[in-house]
Amino acid sequence: MIILASQSPRRQQLMHSITDDFVVEVSHIDESSSLNMSPFDAVKDIAKRKGLDISKKHPHDLVLSADTIVVIDNQIIGKPIDKKDAKRILKLLSGRTHHVLTAFYLIKDNKEYEEVVDSEVTFEALSDSLIDEYIKSGSPMDKAGAYGAQDNNDFKLIKKITGSWSNVIGFPIDEIKEAINKF
């Protein structure tokens, strides 16, 4: 059995495309200590600490944890703290290219595997009215970078994705499948 160490409904939904044989157990680590690292190291550190936290309780089960960050100008963009912050973030990303880094970590019986997947996302130039309408939908409030790629059908935010689309949602399916199969 696989234990998915994530409270993200998007990760849980995407996990079903890999297997239905999993349970969810959420780690409650403090992520703030990782945020003074480089973006690459921070996302790796958070994913690993989540997985290690859950594997202490389930050392003989395969634990899968992940973390996703948005990076622009070498700055980590987290989840917005309020609607005003969401607007600031979306204006910052508007018409520009940024990176989405997702680290995932696997552990079972002290055997470990970790990987970071990097996708490049170019945003459309967003009007104030589109930003306001999107924020009013509530969708940006629980997502790194204040947006979800899965919202692009309803709100035209993304012009182009280079790399894994599922990574931009926060769960690089192909890379995770391959790692689990090798594991």
Side-chain angles (χ1 to χ4, degrees):
M1 177 173 41
I2 298 175
I3 298 173
L4 177 62
S6 178
Q7 65 184 2
S8 164
R10 292 162 298 282
R11 286 194 185 114
Q12 293 171 26
Q13 183 181 17
L14 289 169
M15 187 67 183
H16 285 288
S17 68
I18 297 171
T19 182
D20 288 324
D21 187 23
F22 72 95
V23 296
V24 173
E25 187 162 335
V26 179
S27 170
H28 297 286
I29 63 156
D30 177 11
E31 298 181 13
S32 62
S33 64
S34 302
L35 298 180
N36 58 3
M37 301 175 174
S38 73
F40 183 86
D41 290 337
V43 75
K44 245 174 62 167
D45 186 62
I46 293 168
K48 183 173 184 171
R49 288 191 300 118
K50 286 178 183 177
L52 288 171
D53 180 47
I54 299 302
S55 74
K56 287 177 197 168
K57 296 176 234 166
H58 306 280
H60 304 297
D61 290 311
L62 179 60
V63 175
L64 167 61
S65 57
D67 192 63
T68 300
I69 59 173
V70 171
V71 180
I72 191 164
D73 301 329
N74 208 34
Q75 175 188 359
I76 297 172
I77 307 296
K79 297 174 184 175
I81 55 173
D82 56 25
K83 290 179 180 182
K84 183 178 176 185
D85 193 38
K87 187 167 189 163
R88 177 193 65 81
I89 292 169
L90 290 166
K91 283 180 157 295
L92 176 68
L93 299 177
S94 177
R96 299 183 63 199
T97 299
H98 62 274
H99 289 264
V100 176
L101 302 177
T102 299
F104 67 91
Y105 176 78
L106 295 165
I107 184 168
K108 179 181 179 179
D109 296 322
N110 293 318
K111 181 180 172 191
E112 303 171 284
Y113 178 83
E114 61 187 332
E115 185 174 337
V116 178
V117 179
D118 182 357
S119 298
E120 198 175 77
V121 180
T122 302
F123 257 36
E124 298 283 357
L126 307 178
S127 67
D128 284 345
S129 62
L130 175 64
I131 290 172
D132 291 341
E133 188 181 326
Y134 185 48
I135 291 170
K136 200 180 334 177
S137 78
S139 188
M141 302 314 296
D142 69 337
K143 297 174 181 73
Y147 77 94
Q150 64 275 21
D151 297 332
N152 210 48
N153 289 336
D154 297 325
F155 301 93
K156 188 69 174 131
L157 307 169
I158 299 170
K159 187 177 202 172
K160 180 175 95 172
I161 294 176
T162 305
S164 167
W165 181 85
S166 64
N167 180 54
V168 179
I169 296 176
F171 210 61
I173 295 171
D174 293 338
E175 291 84 351
I176 291 171
K177 272 186 195 174
E178 184 177 326
I180 288 172
N181 287 337
K182 285 181 184 175
F183 205 87

